Amino acid sequence: MVSIKRRLTLGALSALAIGLLTTATAAPAFAVDKHVKPTIVLEHGAFADASSWNGVIEELRKDGYPVVAAANPLRGPAGDAAALRSVLDHVSGPKVLVGHSYGGSVISVAGANDPQVKALVYVAAFLPAPGETALELTNKYPGSTLPAALDPTPFTLPDGTTGTDLYIKPSKFHHQFAADVPAGTAALMAATQRPIAQSALAEKTEAAAWEGTPTWAIITTQDLNIPAAVQRYMAKRAHAHSVEVRASHSVAVSQPKTVAGVIEKAAHATR
């Protein structure tokens, strides 16, 4: 009997030891990934909406990035930045902030002094310094044909004052905004474009997040909205990692893989 009990005890101890060893070996499978991917927050610009990022979102999600595409009110950098800040405050953890066109002015304000914004990516976008406006930057070098393509439309505010919304004329949208996008897609973009308040382009920006945050810039060499020379000037001043792409202003639509690739480089650099 003693011999049998001893064998049973030894067997139980052996089983316990094997169980502990198995648990210890399996533990790393439950370890937390030290390299959590940042959330990519996308801000569209004038004459567009959040769907302009659809192709980029698809590419980023394939590679495991969480993505949020914010709705930009297009009323002015200060107010629009406040709206974007509400989105940023809702997203926990590290973030890469991306702005297209006028959206660059917005992320420059919204991303300032936020330690969770690890990188900025400007896509055919404005990188204004404090006190600058989108309008003055556009006119810094020749090349923009946007004014002749615009359709100004007055509107009345609740207090009775008036403002002016700017649209791109549907007949000129393809050539002006998205020349390298298929005509059918450009027609849909023209139909869903959101106007920007004329006053937003003349409003001075209050901050420049790129002054203290690693910055990337995609420069579109066939851009008819923001001339490539203007984009180069702003990117150089911001010490941005620049990538030049032969594309129209709508590079996020025409070349989503290229745009997503630059965003992922910025995200990698935050690790």
Side-chain angles (χ1 to χ4, degrees):
M1 288 293 294
V2 174
S3 177
I4 293 173
K5 287 181 178 180
R6 190 168 184 274
R7 285 200 298 271
L8 288 173
T9 302
L10 289 172
L13 289 171
S14 298
L16 178 60
I18 292 171
L20 289 171
L21 180 61
T22 302
T23 302
T25 303
F30 298 98
V32 177
D33 184 1
K34 293 180 180 179
H35 302 298
V36 176
K37 285 183 168 65
T39 299
I40 312 301
V41 180
L42 306 166
E43 180 81 334
H44 68 82
F47 319 117
D49 63 14
S51 69
S52 60
W53 294 112
N54 283 354
V56 175
I57 293 171
E58 184 178 357
E59 295 298 325
L60 292 171
R61 283 185 170 171
K62 282 180 186 177
D63 293 333
Y65 286 91
V67 187
V68 174
N72 189 345
L74 303 173
R75 301 294 89 181
D80 297 342
L84 180 56
R85 274 251 47 101
S86 70
V87 176
L88 295 175
D89 291 342
H90 180 68
V91 177
S92 60
K95 296 172 268 287
V96 173
L97 196 48
V98 184
H100 172 243
S101 190
Y102 163 80
S105 296
V106 179
I107 69 170
S108 291
V109 178
N113 304 312
D114 184 345
Q116 289 300 311
V117 174
K118 303 299 184 180
L120 302 163
V121 182
Y122 292 83
V123 181
F126 292 109
L127 290 79
E132 289 182 334
T133 72
L135 184 60
E136 69 177 281
L137 285 169
T138 300
N139 294 327
K140 190 170 185 65
Y141 294 98
S144 176
T145 58
L146 180 61
L150 292 175
D151 180 17
T153 304
F155 65 87
T156 303
L157 293 164
D159 64 1
T161 60
T162 59
T164 301
D165 266 340
L166 300 177
Y167 296 82
I168 294 180
K169 297 172 184 176
S171 62
K172 296 190 175 182
F173 191 95
H174 190 192
H175 173 74
Q176 177 64 41
F177 198 77
D180 54 353
V181 172
T185 301
L188 290 174
M189 293 169 65
T192 59
Q193 68 171 301
R194 294 185 54 216
I196 187 168
Q198 185 173 1
S199 58
L201 300 179
E203 182 182 315
K204 295 180 179 180
T205 51
E206 300 171 347
W210 49 262
E211 290 181 331
T213 306
T215 298
W216 278 254
I218 296 176
I219 297 169
T220 41
T221 62
Q222 306 300 302
D223 202 312
L224 298 181
N225 276 30
I226 307 175
V230 175
Q231 295 181 51
R232 291 188 188 106
Y233 162 77
M234 294 184 291
K236 183 178 180 180
R237 179 178 63 178
H239 304 290
H241 304 277
S242 298
V243 177
E244 296 208 1
V245 181
R246 184 177 176 81
S248 74
H249 194 61
S250 296
V251 63
V253 179
S254 64
Q255 299 190 42
K257 287 185 178 181
T258 300
V259 173
V262 174
I263 294 171
E264 291 188 22
K265 284 183 180 178
H268 252 315
T270 69
R271 295 185 177 184

